[in-house]
mmCIF file of all heavy atoms in Angstrom:
data_model
loop_
_atom_site.group_PDB
_atom_site.id
_atom_site.type_symbol
_atom_site.label_atom_id
_atom_site.label_comp_id
_atom_site.label_asym_id
_atom_site.label_seq_id
_atom_site.Cartn_x
_atom_site.Cartn_y
_atom_site.Cartn_z
ATOM 1 N N ARG H 1 -25.602 -66.133 68.455
ATOM 2 C CA ARG H 1 -25.465 -64.991 69.364
ATOM 3 C C ARG H 1 -25.117 -63.711 68.606
ATOM 4 O O ARG H 1 -25.648 -62.635 68.892
ATOM 5 C CB ARG H 1 -24.384 -65.290 70.393
ATOM 6 C CG ARG H 1 -24.681 -66.458 71.305
ATOM 7 C CD ARG H 1 -25.606 -66.064 72.418
ATOM 8 N NE ARG H 1 -25.768 -67.142 73.371
ATOM 9 C CZ ARG H 1 -26.294 -67.000 74.583
ATOM 10 N NH1 ARG H 1 -26.699 -65.805 74.973
ATOM 11 N NH2 ARG H 1 -26.433 -68.029 75.373
ATOM 12 N N ILE H 2 -24.211 -63.837 67.659
ATOM 13 C CA ILE H 2 -23.824 -62.663 66.860
ATOM 14 C C ILE H 2 -25.037 -62.112 66.121
ATOM 15 O O ILE H 2 -25.260 -60.895 66.070
ATOM 16 C CB ILE H 2 -22.697 -63.050 65.876
ATOM 17 C CG1 ILE H 2 -21.391 -63.290 66.646
ATOM 18 C CG2 ILE H 2 -22.503 -61.965 64.815
ATOM 19 C CD1 ILE H 2 -20.312 -63.965 65.821
ATOM 20 N N ALA H 3 -25.838 -63.012 65.547
ATOM 21 C CA ALA H 3 -27.006 -62.578 64.784
ATOM 22 C C ALA H 3 -28.035 -61.892 65.671
ATOM 23 O O ALA H 3 -28.719 -60.960 65.236
ATOM 24 C CB ALA H 3 -27.637 -63.775 64.073
ATOM 25 N N GLN H 4 -28.163 -62.345 66.916
ATOM 26 C CA GLN H 4 -29.171 -61.807 67.815
ATOM 27 C C GLN H 4 -28.771 -60.491 68.464
ATOM 28 O O GLN H 4 -29.631 -59.752 68.960
ATOM 29 C CB GLN H 4 -29.485 -62.832 68.916
ATOM 30 C CG GLN H 4 -30.179 -64.085 68.423
ATOM 31 C CD GLN H 4 -31.552 -63.805 67.867
ATOM 32 O OE1 GLN H 4 -32.380 -63.193 68.530
ATOM 33 N NE2 GLN H 4 -31.798 -64.233 66.643
ATOM 34 N N ASP H 5 -27.486 -60.176 68.479
ATOM 35 C CA ASP H 5 -26.964 -59.020 69.221
ATOM 36 C C ASP H 5 -27.079 -57.756 68.379
ATOM 37 O O ASP H 5 -26.312 -57.539 67.438
ATOM 38 C CB ASP H 5 -25.507 -59.283 69.602
ATOM 39 C CG ASP H 5 -24.915 -58.214 70.509
ATOM 40 O OD1 ASP H 5 -25.565 -57.158 70.689
ATOM 41 O OD2 ASP H 5 -23.807 -58.437 71.029
ATOM 42 N N ARG H 6 -28.018 -56.887 68.741
ATOM 43 C CA ARG H 6 -28.236 -55.666 67.971
ATOM 44 C C ARG H 6 -27.157 -54.624 68.229
ATOM 45 O O ARG H 6 -27.161 -53.559 67.600
ATOM 46 C CB ARG H 6 -29.623 -55.109 68.248
ATOM 47 C CG ARG H 6 -30.740 -56.021 67.754
ATOM 48 C CD ARG H 6 -32.114 -55.383 67.947
ATOM 49 N NE ARG H 6 -32.371 -54.349 66.968
ATOM 50 C CZ ARG H 6 -32.945 -54.541 65.786
ATOM 51 N NH1 ARG H 6 -33.301 -55.774 65.409
ATOM 52 N NH2 ARG H 6 -33.174 -53.533 64.959
ATOM 53 N N GLY H 7 -26.226 -54.925 69.107
ATOM 54 C CA GLY H 7 -25.070 -54.056 69.272
ATOM 55 C C GLY H 7 -24.047 -54.204 68.155
ATOM 56 O O GLY H 7 -23.136 -53.379 68.031
ATOM 57 N N ASN H 8 -24.200 -55.246 67.331
ATOM 58 C CA ASN H 8 -23.304 -55.457 66.196
ATOM 59 C C ASN H 8 -23.841 -54.707 64.983
ATOM 60 O O ASN H 8 -24.934 -55.004 64.505
ATOM 61 C CB ASN H 8 -23.175 -56.950 65.881
ATOM 62 C CG ASN H 8 -22.564 -57.737 67.026
ATOM 63 O OD1 ASN H 8 -21.681 -57.243 67.723
ATOM 64 N ND2 ASN H 8 -23.027 -58.967 67.234
ATOM 65 N N SER H 9 -23.074 -53.761 64.496
ATOM 66 C CA SER H 9 -23.518 -52.961 63.346
ATOM 67 C C SER H 9 -22.977 -53.482 62.024
ATOM 68 O O SER H 9 -23.620 -53.325 60.975
ATOM 69 C CB SER H 9 -23.093 -51.507 63.533
ATOM 70 O OG SER H 9 -21.690 -51.408 63.686
ATOM 71 N N ILE H 10 -21.799 -54.090 62.052
ATOM 72 C CA ILE H 10 -21.159 -54.734 60.895
ATOM 73 C C ILE H 10 -20.421 -55.945 61.463
ATOM 74 O O ILE H 10 -19.916 -55.901 62.583
ATOM 75 C CB ILE H 10 -20.121 -53.814 60.206
ATOM 76 C CG1 ILE H 10 -20.697 -52.442 59.847
ATOM 77 C CG2 ILE H 10 -19.505 -54.502 58.988
ATOM 78 C CD1 ILE H 10 -21.536 -52.394 58.602
ATOM 79 N N VAL H 11 -20.312 -57.023 60.690
ATOM 80 C CA VAL H 11 -19.539 -58.190 61.115
ATOM 81 C C VAL H 11 -18.436 -58.450 60.098
ATOM 82 O O VAL H 11 -18.703 -58.495 58.889
ATOM 83 C CB VAL H 11 -20.432 -59.433 61.277
ATOM 84 C CG1 VAL H 11 -19.583 -60.679 61.560
ATOM 85 C CG2 VAL H 11 -21.449 -59.224 62.396
ATOM 86 N N ILE H 12 -17.209 -58.604 60.593
ATOM 87 C CA ILE H 12 -16.069 -58.976 59.763
ATOM 88 C C ILE H 12 -15.608 -60.359 60.195
ATOM 89 O O ILE H 12 -15.334 -60.589 61.382
ATOM 90 C CB ILE H 12 -14.907 -57.967 59.897
ATOM 91 C CG1 ILE H 12 -15.346 -56.571 59.424
ATOM 92 C CG2 ILE H 12 -13.690 -58.443 59.100
ATOM 93 C CD1 ILE H 12 -14.308 -55.488 59.676
ATOM 94 N N LEU H 13 -15.519 -61.291 59.252
ATOM 95 C CA LEU H 13 -14.991 -62.631 59.502
ATOM 96 C C LEU H 13 -13.570 -62.707 58.979
ATOM 97 O O LEU H 13 -13.296 -62.337 57.833
ATOM 98 C CB LEU H 13 -15.837 -63.691 58.784
ATOM 99 C CG LEU H 13 -17.318 -63.765 59.121
ATOM 100 C CD1 LEU H 13 -18.001 -64.817 58.242
ATOM 101 C CD2 LEU H 13 -17.522 -64.100 60.588
ATOM 102 N N THR H 14 -12.642 -63.192 59.807
ATOM 103 C CA THR H 14 -11.253 -63.309 59.376
ATOM 104 C C THR H 14 -10.589 -64.442 60.159
ATOM 105 O O THR H 14 -11.230 -65.108 60.972
ATOM 106 C CB THR H 14 -10.512 -61.966 59.553
ATOM 107 O OG1 THR H 14 -9.276 -62.006 58.849
ATOM 108 C CG2 THR H 14 -10.277 -61.631 61.018
ATOM 109 N N GLY H 15 -9.310 -64.680 59.877
ATOM 110 C CA GLY H 15 -8.583 -65.736 60.561
ATOM 111 C C GLY H 15 -7.279 -65.222 61.135
ATOM 112 O O GLY H 15 -6.751 -64.207 60.686
ATOM 113 N N ALA H 16 -6.769 -65.924 62.117
ATOM 114 C CA ALA H 16 -5.533 -65.527 62.783
ATOM 115 C C ALA H 16 -4.316 -66.134 62.087
ATOM 116 O O ALA H 16 -4.422 -67.107 61.337
ATOM 117 C CB ALA H 16 -5.556 -65.974 64.245
ATOM 118 N N GLY H 17 -3.164 -65.529 62.342
ATOM 119 C CA GLY H 17 -1.900 -66.089 61.882
ATOM 120 C C GLY H 17 -1.726 -66.122 60.384
ATOM 121 O O GLY H 17 -1.004 -66.985 59.854
ATOM 122 N N GLY H 18 -2.383 -65.202 59.676
ATOM 123 C CA GLY H 18 -2.219 -65.136 58.232
ATOM 124 C C GLY H 18 -2.942 -66.218 57.456
ATOM 125 O O GLY H 18 -2.657 -66.440 56.274
ATOM 126 N N GLN H 19 -3.917 -66.888 58.100
ATOM 127 C CA GLN H 19 -4.708 -67.924 57.437
ATOM 128 C C GLN H 19 -6.178 -67.690 57.752
ATOM 129 O O GLN H 19 -6.504 -67.142 58.819
ATOM 130 C CB GLN H 19 -4.315 -69.323 57.926
ATOM 131 C CG GLN H 19 -2.834 -69.627 57.885
ATOM 132 C CD GLN H 19 -2.289 -69.788 56.481
ATOM 133 O OE1 GLN H 19 -2.996 -70.230 55.584
ATOM 134 N NE2 GLN H 19 -1.024 -69.450 56.278
ATOM 135 N N PHE H 20 -7.061 -68.138 56.877
ATOM 136 C CA PHE H 20 -8.488 -68.095 57.194
ATOM 137 C C PHE H 20 -8.824 -69.362 57.982
ATOM 138 O O PHE H 20 -8.906 -69.330 59.193
ATOM 139 C CB PHE H 20 -9.326 -67.941 55.929
ATOM 140 C CG PHE H 20 -10.792 -67.725 56.209
ATOM 141 C CD1 PHE H 20 -11.218 -66.546 56.789
ATOM 142 C CD2 PHE H 20 -11.728 -68.699 55.906
ATOM 143 C CE1 PHE H 20 -12.577 -66.333 57.077
ATOM 144 C CE2 PHE H 20 -13.079 -68.495 56.170
ATOM 145 C CZ PHE H 20 -13.502 -67.315 56.756
ATOM 146 N N ILE H 21 -9.011 -70.479 57.308
ATOM 147 C CA ILE H 21 -9.065 -71.792 57.971
ATOM 148 C C ILE H 21 -8.266 -72.744 57.092
ATOM 149 O O ILE H 21 -8.673 -73.044 55.972
ATOM 150 C CB ILE H 21 -10.502 -72.313 58.154
ATOM 151 C CG1 ILE H 21 -11.375 -71.292 58.891
ATOM 152 C CG2 ILE H 21 -10.480 -73.632 58.927
ATOM 153 C CD1 ILE H 21 -12.841 -71.717 59.027
ATOM 154 N N ALA H 22 -7.146 -73.209 57.614
ATOM 155 C CA ALA H 22 -6.207 -73.960 56.781
ATOM 156 C C ALA H 22 -6.299 -75.463 56.964
ATOM 157 O O ALA H 22 -5.955 -76.223 56.058
ATOM 158 C CB ALA H 22 -4.776 -73.506 57.069
ATOM 159 N N GLY H 23 -6.748 -75.919 58.139
ATOM 160 C CA GLY H 23 -6.698 -77.355 58.405
ATOM 161 C C GLY H 23 -7.858 -77.822 59.251
ATOM 162 O O GLY H 23 -8.623 -77.027 59.816
ATOM 163 N N ILE H 24 -7.994 -79.134 59.333
ATOM 164 C CA ILE H 24 -9.088 -79.743 60.095
ATOM 165 C C ILE H 24 -8.563 -80.949 60.862
ATOM 166 O O ILE H 24 -7.686 -81.679 60.377
ATOM 167 C CB ILE H 24 -10.243 -80.147 59.150
ATOM 168 C CG1 ILE H 24 -11.450 -80.675 59.939
ATOM 169 C CG2 ILE H 24 -9.789 -81.139 58.086
ATOM 170 C CD1 ILE H 24 -12.712 -80.827 59.094
ATOM 171 N N ASP H 25 -9.078 -81.142 62.055
ATOM 172 C CA ASP H 25 -8.720 -82.288 62.898
ATOM 173 C C ASP H 25 -9.825 -83.335 62.744
ATOM 174 O O ASP H 25 -10.790 -83.355 63.511
ATOM 175 C CB ASP H 25 -8.581 -81.827 64.351
ATOM 176 C CG ASP H 25 -8.235 -82.961 65.314
ATOM 177 O OD1 ASP H 25 -8.068 -84.103 64.852
ATOM 178 O OD2 ASP H 25 -8.146 -82.691 66.527
ATOM 179 N N PHE H 26 -9.684 -84.206 61.757
ATOM 180 C CA PHE H 26 -10.729 -85.196 61.492
ATOM 181 C C PHE H 26 -11.006 -86.117 62.683
ATOM 182 O O PHE H 26 -12.164 -86.390 63.005
ATOM 183 C CB PHE H 26 -10.365 -86.037 60.265
ATOM 184 C CG PHE H 26 -10.637 -85.363 58.947
ATOM 185 C CD1 PHE H 26 -9.593 -85.031 58.087
ATOM 186 C CD2 PHE H 26 -11.928 -85.074 58.546
ATOM 187 C CE1 PHE H 26 -9.840 -84.418 56.878
ATOM 188 C CE2 PHE H 26 -12.190 -84.460 57.328
ATOM 189 C CZ PHE H 26 -11.142 -84.133 56.492
ATOM 190 N N PRO H 27 -9.951 -86.641 63.372
ATOM 191 C CA PRO H 27 -10.233 -87.570 64.474
ATOM 192 C C PRO H 27 -11.084 -86.973 65.587
ATOM 193 O O PRO H 27 -11.770 -87.716 66.303
ATOM 194 C CB PRO H 27 -8.826 -87.935 64.975
ATOM 195 C CG PRO H 27 -7.937 -87.757 63.794
ATOM 196 C CD PRO H 27 -8.506 -86.574 63.080
ATOM 197 N N SER H 28 -11.071 -85.649 65.729
ATOM 198 C CA SER H 28 -11.851 -85.037 66.806
ATOM 199 C C SER H 28 -13.345 -85.277 66.645
ATOM 200 O O SER H 28 -14.103 -85.180 67.622
ATOM 201 C CB SER H 28 -11.563 -83.533 66.885
ATOM 202 O OG SER H 28 -12.116 -82.834 65.779
#
C-alpha cells in the first residue's frame, strides 16, 4: 500500500520505544 500511494513523497522507517525491532515471538 505504501508503495502504491503516490501521496507519499518520502518514507521513513523507524521503531517505537527507542528500539527498531528488538524481539520476535517465535511461537506465534
Side-chain angles (χ1 to χ4, degrees):
R1 297 280 186 165
I2 289 167
Q4 293 295 307
D5 186 350
R6 294 185 76 90
N8 298 324
S9 58
I10 307 281
V11 173
I12 298 173
L13 302 176
T14 194
Q19 309 289 329
F20 187 69
I21 306 176
I24 185 168
D25 179 2
F26 281 115
S28 71

